[in-house]
Amino acid sequence: MTGLLGRHERRWALAIVGAFGLLALLPLAVRRDDVLNFVFLILLSITLAESWNIVAGYAGQVNLGHAAFFGLGALVARTLWIGGTPIAVGLVAGAAVATLFALLIGVAAFRLRGAYFAIGTLALGEILRTTVSNVLPEISTLPAATIAAYRLTERYYLALALAAISVLAVAGLAGSRLGLGMRAIREDEEAAEASGVGALRLKLTALALSTGLAGLAGGLFAFYHISYYPSHPFGPHWTFDALLMTFIGGVGTLHGPVLGAVLYVVLKEFVALRWVDFHLLIFGALFIAIVLLLPGGLVQAGERFARWGRL
Amino acid sequence: MSVLAQQLLLGLLLGGLYGLAAAGLSLVFGVLKVLDVAHGELIMLGGYMAFFVVALLGIDPFASLLLVLPLSLLLGLTLYWGLFGFVVRADEETRVKNSLLIGFGLALALHALAVQLWTADERSIVTPYGGAVLSVGGLSIPVVRLVSLALAFALIGGLHLLLARWRWGKAIRATAEDWQAALLTGIDVRRAYLLAFAIGTALAGAAGTLVTIGYSVSPSIGLEWTLKALIVVVLAGLGSMIGTFVGGLLLGVAEAASAAAFGGPYREVVGLVIFVVVLVVRPRGLFGR
């Protein structure tokens, strides 16, 4: 069974990374900034969704405070970068801070089970957001020299690299002993403990991996935007977006969050031309329908469809 | 000193609304074991109902409760039949998790719908006696907020009596206690669920009405009120409506005290910190088992 799952996921990983390879050629073929910005948004969303998918989809812990780690990554990377540190160092430092913070709170937060973990982390995210908006109320804008040297393609390739890393990380996890242990916890924590899986250790590992990637994504956000309020990346909508994309695509699968992210961003941008935030009405309703009727998301729908085709 | 007393008093008046907001959530959570994180959005909808009832009929804002309560009750029935009725069929652990997710989707959809229908602007109900103030021993008490507190307390008291005396109130309490035993004694558990959810939604509507009269309503108030209600439910525990109301008053006063100590912007943080600490110290959370 594991072998099968591994092979299945390897094939998807190859297909997705192949698609990323094609996207790497895009800036050579298309010189339009709007196209690159659009694909950038999809890539950032894929990274965010996959990072959330690790802790929620594989380890089964619905983290509603994910934005806190995205925000911490952005805060640290931006501060260091504007201070003169190379962005690569800023990104790594941001991810490190996000992970450390996650491990620190994880020990306490994982005493909570199921829905209590979810609302506890939601509160934690809001604590951080409110505090940051109080301490740093001023908008953060890049210095003029940095704006003059701004190259969109750099950001684009960084986004592509991070999306590839997150997909490969999930693919590696899905086929590994570690990932198997996480899924065991997701299905039944007591039974997993009883068969020798160290639940707390594995949950912390999942959280560390998930928040590290979220921190990197936050750093990318800080590198990409010319000006934004420091509390913006801490906003709960980042968590909600990741959750919607992951669930609609297929939670706990490799390719589900990728499909979800593409669909989400395409529809969001398309609808936003006419109505602000209308996409949330569509996705909110779709999400409810999926939780009730199709817990495996679009991926499950696709598999059912394929099975009918074979009959 | 009198400034501090004034702030604490305003906190107490706001706390009554926290208590009312939490009562509905507590009832639904305690009876159905369903965690409806769209509770704040139901409060928001109640606020808009009150706003339009007052705007269209031109009646006294507090009298709008007479219409908002039954309308919210209907909304609750619809939501139960359409959504939450499906959730309660699962076992308890799946139930809490699925209800959280569904409530979350509902919250997003209702928020987006409200923005489409009524724009993102803040609205509030202006009363002819809105500026009236009672002066007691150097403290000024806004009349509107005092009446709101009294009404909130009356509603909680009414609910308490309903649960204690009414035939179906007893059925609801029995279901909350142990639904299997309730089923065995011949109680229609599904009906008790339906009633508890509808009453919970009506309480949210009432809270929304009072929020819109004393403060203001906009499509985005939902998350904030859901969090307030959750904090109070965690603080007060389940089972006693009067206890929930007192928990709300406590949160209001604690927020005001912390705003006085650390500055206004941090008033939100203190409640959330209390919430996280209480949750972690009692990891089984709200049941306390």
Side-chain angles (χ1 to χ4, degrees):
Chain A
M1 189 64 199
T2 27
L4 269 178
L5 270 173
R7 201 157 58 225
H8 184 69
E9 252 129 14
R10 253 200 304 281
R11 211 181 298 154
W12 273 109
L14 274 177
I16 295 166
V17 173
F20 286 168
L22 288 179
L23 284 178
L25 303 174
L26 188 68
L28 307 175
V30 184
R31 297 224 159 266
R32 283 172 50 187
D33 279 0
D34 57 340
V35 176
L36 292 189
N37 277 320
F38 183 67
V39 179
F40 174 92
L41 219 55
I42 292 180
L43 294 170
L44 177 66
S45 302
I46 289 175
T47 310
L48 200 61
E50 286 290 13
S51 72
W52 192 76
N53 187 32
I54 293 174
V55 75
Y58 285 89
Q61 310 298 311
V62 178
N63 174 6
L64 290 186
H66 202 56
F69 308 102
F70 182 74
L72 276 176
L75 186 66
V76 172
R78 181 83 163 191
T79 313
L80 289 177
W81 181 43
I82 290 189
T85 324
I87 185 63
V89 179
L91 278 169
V92 173
V97 169
T99 310
L100 271 180
F101 182 68
L103 290 176
L104 218 67
I105 59 142
V107 178
F110 281 132
R111 296 185 64 189
L112 306 175
R113 294 282 177 89
Y116 305 110
F117 177 78
I119 53 174
T121 48
L122 177 66
L124 218 58
E126 284 298 284
I127 291 174
L128 236 64
R129 184 182 64 80
T130 320
T131 311
V132 169
S133 74
N134 289 339
V135 177
L136 301 166
E138 307 272 318
I139 198 161
S140 157
T141 305
L142 293 180
T146 318
I147 298 177
Y150 190 95
R151 296 282 171 278
L152 181 58
T153 43
E154 286 173 16
R155 274 84 181 163
Y156 178 83
Y157 281 116
L158 184 60
L160 200 56
L162 289 188
I165 289 172
S166 62
V167 167
L168 290 175
V170 175
L173 190 68
S176 72
R177 228 180 119 74
L178 205 63
L180 203 63
M182 287 176 192
R183 277 184 296 226
I185 295 168
R186 177 188 70 192
E187 295 307 322
D188 189 333
E189 191 164 334
E190 268 87 35
E193 283 269 10
S195 33
V197 176
L200 180 64
R201 195 177 56 85
L202 278 191
K203 285 198 282 188
L204 283 174
T205 311
L207 188 68
L209 210 56
S210 160
T211 53
L213 283 173
L216 284 176
L220 175 64
F221 175 90
F223 186 47
Y224 174 74
H225 282 283
I226 288 177
S227 68
Y228 63 87
Y229 285 98
S231 61
H232 178 69
F234 287 88
H237 62 276
W238 293 101
T239 307
F240 300 167
D241 281 359
L243 183 150
L244 287 177
M245 292 185 281
T246 308
F247 264 92
I248 287 168
V251 65
T253 65
L254 172 67
H255 49 303
V258 177
L259 292 178
V262 173
L263 184 72
Y264 188 82
V265 176
V266 168
L267 191 66
K268 178 181 172 179
E269 296 295 309
F270 178 71
V271 171
L273 293 177
R274 290 194 59 186
W275 303 291
V276 181
D277 275 357
F278 192 68
H279 68 285
L280 287 177
L281 186 57
I282 301 170
F283 281 112
L286 186 61
F287 173 74
I288 293 173
I290 280 179
V291 171
L292 280 177
L293 308 171
L294 202 71
L298 292 178
V299 167
Q300 192 189 1
E303 277 164 8
R304 275 192 195 168
F305 197 68
R307 216 171 302 141
W308 280 345
R310 274 201 296 276
L311 281 178
Chain B
M1 190 59 216
S2 75
V3 176
L4 179 64
Q6 180 70 43
Q7 276 179 332
L8 294 181
L9 175 74
L10 290 178
L12 189 75
L13 292 173
L14 180 58
L17 297 191
Y18 292 165
L20 187 60
L25 188 72
S26 175
L27 183 68
V28 170
F29 189 44
V31 179
L32 286 80
K33 309 288 182 279
V34 152
L35 191 55
D36 176 19
V37 287
H39 195 71
E41 273 68 22
L42 300 180
I43 292 175
M44 182 265 292
L45 284 185
Y48 277 104
M49 282 180 203
F51 179 84
F52 285 110
V53 164
V54 172
L56 295 176
L57 304 182
I59 55 174
D60 184 86
F62 288 111
S64 71
L65 272 178
L66 295 175
L67 269 168
V68 174
L69 276 174
L71 280 174
S72 300
L73 208 63
L74 271 180
L75 176 69
L77 292 177
T78 317
L79 281 177
Y80 183 84
W81 278 321
L83 279 182
F84 289 95
F86 297 101
V87 183
V88 293
R89 291 181 196 170
D91 65 280
E92 252 177 53
E93 201 173 324
T94 326
R95 208 190 276 188
V96 175
K97 199 163 174 177
N98 276 0
S99 66
L100 180 88
L101 292 173
I102 285 173
F104 170 78
L106 186 65
L108 282 182
L110 289 179
H111 173 247
L113 187 69
V115 173
Q116 292 303 314
L117 291 176
W118 306 309
T119 76
D121 294 342
E122 273 189 12
R123 293 162 199 257
S124 73
I125 296 175
V126 184
T127 48
Y129 41 87
V133 164
L134 281 180
S135 292
V136 180
L139 297 176
S140 23
I141 310 171
V143 172
V144 168
R145 294 187 190 182
L146 188 64
V147 175
S148 287
L149 180 72
L151 278 174
F153 185 67
L155 282 165
I156 298 278
L159 177 68
H160 179 78
L161 283 181
L162 212 61
L163 290 176
R165 301 282 164 79
W166 186 36
R167 207 177 135 70
W168 276 105
K170 289 177 189 164
I172 287 175
R173 280 191 300 139
T175 308
E177 203 75 24
D178 184 338
W179 69 268
Q180 278 154 327
L183 199 63
L184 287 175
T185 55
I187 290 171
D188 184 348
V189 170
R190 287 283 159 76
R191 172 73 57 90
Y193 284 164
L194 174 69
L195 285 172
F197 192 84
I199 294 172
T201 309
L203 287 172
T209 305
L210 299 182
V211 168
T212 309
I213 297 173
Y215 306 86
S216 64
V217 65
S218 79
S220 56
I221 65 166
L223 179 62
E224 190 192 327
W225 280 92
T226 300
L227 284 174
K228 301 279 188 225
L230 280 172
I231 295 169
V232 175
V233 170
V234 166
L235 270 180
L238 294 170
S240 160
M241 288 301 140
I242 307 286
T244 306
F245 189 68
V246 173
L249 295 178
L250 272 179
L251 177 65
V253 174
E255 278 189 357
S258 67
F262 309 113
Y266 285 97
R267 62 178 301 145
E268 311 293 328
V269 175
V270 171
L272 291 169
V273 170
I274 297 173
F275 172 71
V276 173
V277 170
V278 173
L279 261 187
V280 172
V281 172
R282 295 176 63 190
R284 279 286 153 182
L286 329 183
F287 298 111
R289 269 188 213 143

